[in-house]
Amino acid sequence: MNVFRAISEEVLESLGTSGAGLSSKEAARRLAEYGPNAVERIRGKPLHKRAIETLTHLLALLLWFAAAIAFIGHLIEPNLGMATLGYAIVGVILVNGLFAFWQEFRAERTLAELAKLLPSQVKVVRGESVATVPGDELVPGDVILLGQGDMVPADCRLIEAFALRVSNATVTGEAMPIDRSAAPSDASDILRSTNALLAGTSVLAGDGVAVVFATGSHTEFGKIARLAQSGTEVRSPLLNEVASLSRVIAVLAFGLGLAFFAIGFEAGLSIWQASMFGIGTIVANVPEGLLPTITLTLAMGARRMARRKVLVRHLPAAETLGSVTVICTDKTGTLTENRMAIRELFLSRTLAPAYPADLKPEVNKADRRLCEVARWCQTVQRAKDGGWLGDPMEMALVEMAGRAGLASASVQLVSEIPFDADRKRMSTLHETVEGRAMYTKGAPETVIPLCTDLEANKGVAPLTRKLRQRLKEAEEAFAKKGLRVLALAYRRLEPEAPLPTSEVGLVFLGLVAFEDPPREGVAEAVRSARQAGIKIVIATGDHPDTTIAIGRQIGLVREEEMPQVVTGERLHDLSDSQLRTALDAPCPIFARLAADQKLRIVRALRAKGHVTAVTGHGVNDAPALKEADIGIAMGRTGSDVARAAADMVLVDDNFVSIVDGIEEGRAVFDNVRKFLTYVLTSNVAEFVPYLAFVLFGIPLPLTIIQILAVDLGTDLLPALALGAEKPHPDIMARPPRPRTERLLDHRLLLRAYGFLGLFEAAAGMTAYSFVLWQGGWAFGEPLAAHAALYLQATTACLVAIVLLQIVNVFLCRDERISLFAQTSLGNPLIFVGIAFEIGMILAVVYTQPGNALFGTAPLGWQAWLFVGPFAAAMLVSEEARKWIARSRSSRKPSEKG
Ligand code: ATP
């Protein structure tokens, strides 16, 4: 039995209850069976499990392994200093884990916000008396009492209602108040039936008695909350990249570690000395600071986006936005201002265009009717300041009626059929001085077919086929000017007649054309998106011609071009492959879409290999927002549901902000590559000493603790500074990066490992040899691990690496542009990073605790100067490489041509 269609008594019976409610015993039984009335957490994994996960990913496991060997080594041979090493490595793992935790907490908080929308205490009839129980104890079959201002605690069917009005905004996104009654409804789904109350929505006026038929995650709200929860699990392309990068690094580091352990053992080291050597190789090859730097770079990207009015709901979205190849946007309010001004009318009495100033309601009956529909068939409400609150189009209509001089006759609202995006019209039933009447307004093609007559100058006349053609032409003429058109109509009803459930036999009154100009900056944003190789798809509920005209105004559709528009009706008949073909058009336009059709478009775009950003505001948009790579909800006009399903929220609902966000997102990817190059460069310099040790049998030039001093000390802030670089000026002149483009590609590896890293390694090794040679050491002589000369030599190696990394920060700021052509003042963080780096290396070399902790010794000034030629060589060679790269790419187009 359908809970909406049946009469109240049958519904109560089918739910095993009555007007007197459930007994407490039965309620307890049902609670055990159905579970509490709360949004179920489908994430399943408790926080501690997630904590364990963040501490046990591949790189962390490798480091745990290294730390364990260090601790075991310390137990067996305490004088090798392996315990300090073990602690240092554990510290590294914990720091990385902490950042992962931080993200988890953010996700949890979002969920908690969502849960707050459900009420806590509910009045429920149990065993014939009314009790107040916590909302989460409600069960199906409970009879509850609701009054003005109450939140609806579960999905219910009304069994009694008195002037009850609700706002379903949290679930449907439609902010307009709607009437609800206890009468059986024709609609079979919960969103449309007039006797259903949805969990999470609110009662605006009146009161009622209702029976609960769905609780917790079985409610519409619960289903959406589940949808939103699954959203926090999204994996962005970047995260996938990082995961595969970690795998490559882990295998490499482990393999080398094992090989070096074997070589060391073979070369005559004790098993623990050889293990320390193996651990060193692993530590040198794992970029310890990488994961926290990525998280922080994303967080900084998210903050910069927020400044440009884009709020991301989970961090990886900041980068995903950068890889977008298609924006699928709605029109009203995103491309346009949603500031409606009535420009023209088409009146039934003259069958000709007119202006609002031509209306004479006091003298002409037809004008008065039109103004009455404009004034009363709406949902706007008086604001405190005397103005109106609500839908801008409706406010414009009410103001027009007021300006035309419509006397505020005693018109009383009896009932209404609310607007919905599928029907594209709304109707209200009124008690007027002339009797009962129904007023209707909506998209012309949904209203005119329901009209049988029109209000002519001398009373009602039949609406002939010829006249219908006239109306169609008038509508098209308005639409072609980019105006948004509504048709207004009415119907007299018998006294006491109820509001018909559908509108038929209407009398046509006129068309109203609204101007909703494009937002400022949208034309430039469209140009910028196009230049950046991003396709724009419009998916709107509005008329095709209006959409094309707006498309022209914002430069999306060229003047001479007549784009193919797919209407919702046609889309219905298109097969998936036909839809995919339609999407090949340069600017596909979908108009008069039904609420659920956006999802199909998004699916088709994704099937074509696009990375899609999709905007939406109502509950019906939630599935499309979920399906998209980046779902974008509206901050001002959007519903909570759409926001919950989205990956990001546009604070100002403005299309321009999406394009700004893409620019920032692209910068995030670029910046990750910048610091990846930076960090991997020093890895080479850290690894080569181990290689030299094995190949030439020299004392180890760089200790493990010194490696960590670079990876988690001196390198960290400059790497972060590279992560905070501003978008490159030509970042939106490039096409979107191909899906196949890897974060860590051969170009980056070759530059870091095969080029920059070699200079650093050479500098480190030469500085080391220089100090030893100066100290009188001869090749092959033994050197104690605590000998002052050895300490100084490793310190020189460390200093050389750090100094070259300072030069390297500048080199890594751009892969192709010369250091001298960059605006170095653009990013003050770089200088903060370098100051920190210098401060830290001075502390390591010249302070007592620094010496003790990192096994270093103070150096003479000559050792510092020694690095100069290497820094110069690195800089000059990199400039030469960039020059070659630039001239090669500038030759490419001409070669083609
Ligand atoms: P977009 O999808 O780009 O936001 P839209 O606002 O036109 O465009 P909908 O809100 O789905 O999309 O509206 C669809 C159509 O329904 C409108 O073009 C208009 O003809 C009609 N319409 C919109 N609001 C109302 C209303 N309050 N009363 C009657 N009809 C309306």
Side-chain angles (χ1 to χ4, degrees):
M1 191 203 59
N2 184 303
V3 256
F4 313 114
R5 289 196 184 149
I7 56 166
S8 309
E9 286 73 23
E10 286 172 354
V11 176
L12 287 168
E13 201 188 317
S14 74
L15 289 165
T17 183
S18 70
L22 297 172
S23 68
S24 304
K25 209 167 133 208
E26 177 60 11
R29 192 194 68 73
R30 290 192 188 190
L31 189 61
E33 182 183 342
Y34 293 99
N37 177 34
V39 176
E40 203 180 301
R41 307 221 155 177
I42 52 155
R43 290 168 26 127
K45 276 182 211 145
L47 213 60
H48 70 269
K49 271 206 184 143
R50 301 211 138 222
I52 293 171
E53 259 176 30
T54 60
L55 296 175
T56 53
H57 63 84
L58 210 52
L59 287 185
L61 282 180
L62 199 61
L63 291 174
W64 279 121
F65 172 74
I69 294 196
F71 286 124
I72 298 171
H74 173 73
L75 286 181
I76 299 171
E77 252 181 80
N79 53 355
L80 283 180
M82 288 183 92
T84 327
L85 177 65
Y87 286 125
I89 298 175
V90 170
V92 171
I93 305 169
L94 292 182
V95 168
N96 283 333
L98 211 69
F99 278 100
F101 259 141
W102 175 55
Q103 283 199 49
E104 292 301 324
F105 275 122
R106 273 169 53 100
E108 290 288 313
R109 256 212 325 258
T110 320
L111 262 184
E113 289 297 309
L114 210 63
K116 270 192 213 146
L117 287 168
L118 289 176
S120 46
Q121 296 287 324
V122 187
K123 283 197 200 106
V124 53
V125 188
R126 290 240 171 110
E128 299 208 32
S129 60
V130 177
T132 307
V133 303
D136 56 5
E137 287 179 17
L138 282 188
V139 292
D142 261 332
V143 174
I144 58 169
L145 308 182
L146 290 165
Q148 188 175 25
D150 283 347
M151 283 276 230
V152 180
D155 283 354
C156 346
R157 152 76 200 258
L158 279 167
I159 47 180
E160 268 179 60
F162 311 97
L164 194 77
R165 299 198 107 196
V166 294
S167 160
N168 278 354
T170 43
V171 177
T172 63
E174 301 292 346
M176 311 175 193
I178 31 185
D179 281 334
R180 284 290 173 255
S181 75
S185 161
D186 266 354
S188 54
D189 76 301
I190 183 164
L191 292 176
R192 291 203 192 129
S193 60
T194 49
N195 52 28
L197 298 179
L198 302 169
T201 63
S202 49
V203 178
L204 296 178
D207 38 25
V209 181
V211 57
V212 172
F213 63 81
T215 57
S217 47
H218 302 289
T219 63
E220 288 301 302
F221 182 86
K223 284 179 208 157
I224 290 155
R226 283 170 76 95
L227 208 69
Q229 286 184 50
S230 57
T232 51
E233 297 275 343
V234 195
R235 275 185 90 71
S236 75
L238 180 74
L239 284 194
N240 289 334
E241 288 263 333
V242 171
S244 68
L245 181 70
S246 302
R247 272 195 299 275
V248 173
I249 291 178
V251 170
L252 187 88
F254 187 72
L256 284 173
L258 214 61
F260 273 56
F261 166 77
I263 294 170
F265 193 58
E266 197 57 25
L269 295 180
S270 79
I271 190 158
W272 294 113
Q273 277 170 329
S275 336
M276 190 134 161
F277 186 51
I279 296 172
T281 313
I282 292 178
V283 173
N285 280 295
V286 172
E288 286 82 7
L290 188 68
L291 297 184
T293 314
I294 288 179
T295 311
L296 273 171
T297 300
L298 289 176
M300 286 188 290
R303 212 169 314 136
R304 277 200 308 274
M305 284 183 182
R307 254 181 256 139
R308 297 175 86 165
K309 307 243 167 21
V310 181
L311 301 180
V312 293
R313 292 191 60 245
H314 53 89
L315 285 188
E319 186 272 334
T320 314
L321 191 59
S323 56
V324 157
T325 59
V326 166
I327 307 173
C328 179
T329 174
D330 43 22
K331 174 182 74 69
T332 313
T334 312
L335 295 173
T336 65
E337 291 196 353
N338 202 13
R339 217 175 23 161
M340 305 283 172
I342 297 176
R343 281 283 163 262
E344 284 189 65
L345 303 169
F346 183 89
L347 300 178
S348 62
R349 68 173 161 94
T350 54
L351 286 173
Y355 295 95
D358 301 335
L359 288 174
K360 303 276 176 280
E362 300 304 335
V363 254
N364 188 289
K365 220 161 132 191
D367 281 4
R368 188 166 72 242
R369 290 253 156 74
L370 182 105
C371 286
E372 268 178 8
V373 177
R375 169 63 189 88
W376 298 110
C377 182
Q378 42 72 26
T379 52
V380 292
Q381 299 198 319
R382 271 266 179 229
K384 274 195 197 122
D385 61 4
W388 297 96
L389 279 182
D391 179 22
M393 197 163 66
E394 297 198 331
M395 288 196 284
L397 284 172
V398 172
E399 275 159 15
M400 176 186 81
R403 268 200 304 273
L406 178 77
S408 38
S410 55
V411 169
Q412 204 193 333
L413 178 71
V414 182
S415 181
E416 83 180 51
I417 311 178
F419 170 77
D420 84 54
D422 279 333
R423 290 181 351 112
K424 296 186 172 54
R425 62 175 183 269
M426 70 170 287
S427 295
T428 47
L429 180 66
H430 300 274
E431 209 62 77
T432 73
V433 276
E434 291 174 349
R436 219 157 232 222
M438 178 163 78
Y439 295 159
T440 301
K441 75 173 195 303
E445 72 269 32
T446 75
V447 173
I448 297 174
L450 306 173
C451 297
T452 45
D453 299 284
L454 60 70
E455 184 85 28
N457 227 347
K458 296 189 193 103
V460 171
L463 190 56
T464 59
R465 195 184 297 166
K466 215 167 128 199
L467 286 174
R468 284 179 198 274
Q469 188 56 30
R470 281 283 289 281
L471 302 186
K472 194 158 187 277
E473 284 161 13
E475 183 201 355
E476 278 172 6
F478 284 147
K480 284 198 170 118
K481 291 189 209 167
L483 301 175
R484 215 172 129 93
V485 194
L486 273 194
L488 270 47
Y490 82 106
R491 179 184 162 188
R492 300 206 142 284
L493 293 170
E494 294 303 315
E496 299 300 311
L499 176 70
T501 42
S502 60
E503 303 92 335
V504 277
L506 302 177
V507 180
F508 176 79
L509 288 167
L511 300 175
V512 185
F514 302 80
E515 185 181 36
D516 178 21
R519 281 174 180 272
E520 205 186 310
V522 164
E524 287 89 81
V526 165
R527 208 173 322 123
S528 163
R530 282 245 165 120
Q531 217 184 7
I534 297 164
K535 195 182 185 106
I536 298 171
V537 177
I538 304 186
T540 176
D542 211 342
H543 192 281
D545 288 343
T546 314
T547 315
I548 294 174
I550 294 288
R552 287 219 162 91
Q553 288 171 29
I554 59 174
L556 206 54
V557 179
R558 258 181 260 122
E559 253 342 293
E560 69 282 9
E561 195 183 334
M562 194 54 213
Q564 271 286 318
V565 182
V566 179
T567 57
E569 213 173 324
R570 237 191 91 208
L571 177 58
H572 199 75
D573 299 332
L574 290 190
S575 70
D576 283 346
S577 49
Q578 283 170 315
L579 170 59
R580 283 165 72 166
T581 314
L583 286 167
D584 286 333
C587 166
I589 294 180
F590 295 87
R592 288 294 191 228
L593 279 189
D596 52 358
Q597 287 181 316
K598 211 185 260 180
L599 179 65
R600 241 194 108 193
I601 298 173
V602 177
R603 286 214 171 115
L605 282 169
R606 295 202 65 196
K608 284 173 80 71
H610 279 295
V611 181
T612 50
V614 177
T615 66
H617 38 225
V619 69
N620 299 318
D621 290 331
L625 292 178
K626 278 270 105 192
E627 178 73 20
D629 295 278
I630 285 285
I632 305 175
M634 299 300 153
R636 280 200 202 153
T637 55
S639 64
D640 292 346
V641 173
R643 282 195 282 270
D647 303 290
M648 47 180 56
V649 177
L650 286 188
V651 177
D652 56 357
D653 298 8
N654 192 343
F655 179 81
V656 179
S657 307
I658 306 179
V659 180
D660 286 349
I662 291 179
E663 186 177 347
E664 291 294 348
R666 287 185 171 193
V668 168
F669 185 83
D670 275 9
N671 289 351
V672 173
R673 273 180 72 97
K674 285 178 197 173
F675 69 67
L676 207 55
T677 313
Y678 178 75
V679 166
L680 293 183
T681 302
S682 62
N683 273 12
V684 178
E686 289 158 8
F687 175 60
V688 166
Y690 286 77
L691 206 62
F693 172 78
V694 169
L695 293 182
F696 310 118
I698 55 169
L700 190 61
L702 193 72
T703 66
I704 301 174
I705 297 283
Q706 288 165 350
I707 291 176
L708 288 176
V710 176
D711 286 2
L712 277 166
T714 55
D715 264 6
L716 211 57
L717 267 198
L720 268 179
L722 286 173
E725 286 267 284
K726 291 216 176 80
H728 194 276
D730 79 356
I731 204 163
M732 293 300 273
R734 305 180 213 150
R737 82 169 193 265
R739 251 182 203 261
T740 47
E741 183 170 328
R742 299 267 73 94
L743 192 62
L744 188 76
D745 58 3
H746 68 278
R747 236 178 31 203
L748 191 151
L749 276 177
L750 215 63
R751 184 169 169 231
Y753 281 150
F755 190 67
L756 297 171
L758 296 185
F759 286 96
E760 257 183 53
M765 291 306 297
T766 320
Y768 174 74
S769 319
F770 169 74
V771 171
L772 286 185
W773 169 76
Q774 245 195 350
W777 179 80
F779 190 78
E781 277 179 22
L783 198 56
H786 296 293
L789 182 61
Y790 175 69
L791 295 183
Q792 272 195 339
T794 57
T795 309
C797 179
L798 175 69
V799 164
I801 294 174
V802 172
L803 290 185
L804 259 74
Q805 276 294 74
I806 294 180
V807 178
N808 196 22
V809 188
F810 291 99
L811 304 184
C812 290
R813 286 190 71 198
D814 202 291
E815 271 177 63
R816 295 149 53 85
I817 294 183
S818 160
L819 165 65
F820 304 100
Q822 294 164 16
T823 46
S824 50
L825 291 176
N827 184 3
L829 261 184
I830 295 259
F831 296 98
V832 175
I834 291 172
F836 170 81
E837 200 166 7
I838 293 174
M840 185 155 170
I841 191 66
L842 288 177
V844 167
V845 179
Y846 293 108
T847 66
Q848 232 288 304
N851 291 168
L853 199 61
F854 295 99
T856 50
L859 279 185
W861 58 270
Q862 302 93 330
W864 290 80
L865 287 190
F866 201 80
V867 175
F870 290 94
M874 177 159 144
L875 186 118
V876 171
S877 314
E878 172 69 355
E879 282 296 322
R881 188 202 62 79
K882 283 181 181 177
W883 181 78
I884 294 171
R886 280 196 306 274
S887 50
R888 255 208 210 147
S889 67
S890 64
R891 259 208 317 270
K892 255 188 198 156
S894 58
E895 276 167 10
K896 265 189 213 158

